[in-house]
Amino acid sequence: NTPSPTRTPLPNQVNIGQGTGFSPSTITITVGQSVVWVWVTGNHSTTSDTGIWDSFVQGPGYVFSRRFDSPGVFPYYCFVHGFPNGSGETGTVIVNLPQ
């Protein structure tokens, strides 16, 4: 048997549906970079607490990317399994200025 190739993670990748939801649940990037959410299992969304972005509910294999052009802390949740303000399936993007 030929082993299956191992997928190389994308830069700033967050997996959705693996274990408790978002993995990692907190990701730190620099202004101008993007976060790439990859659906692994189940139906989920990545939805900004403040309405900045919404992938809408998607299934396994879907990929959603969002570029962050200003510094700050950006909480988000899964519309199916969580709520804004850190309840249920949630995550946080921390965006820092370049050093």
Side-chain angles (χ1 to χ4, degrees), residues 6-48:
T6 303
R7 276 184 95 170
T8 302
L10 299 168
N12 303 319
Q13 179 174 325
V14 175
N15 291 329
I16 305 178
Q18 201 168 358
T20 58
F22 299 106
S23 179
S25 60
T26 299
I27 188 165
T28 302
I29 62 170
T30 302
V31 167
Q33 292 184 321
S34 297
V35 172
V36 180
W37 288 269
V38 177
W39 277 245
V40 177
T41 63
N43 293 318
H44 303 274
S45 78
T46 171
T47 305
S48 163

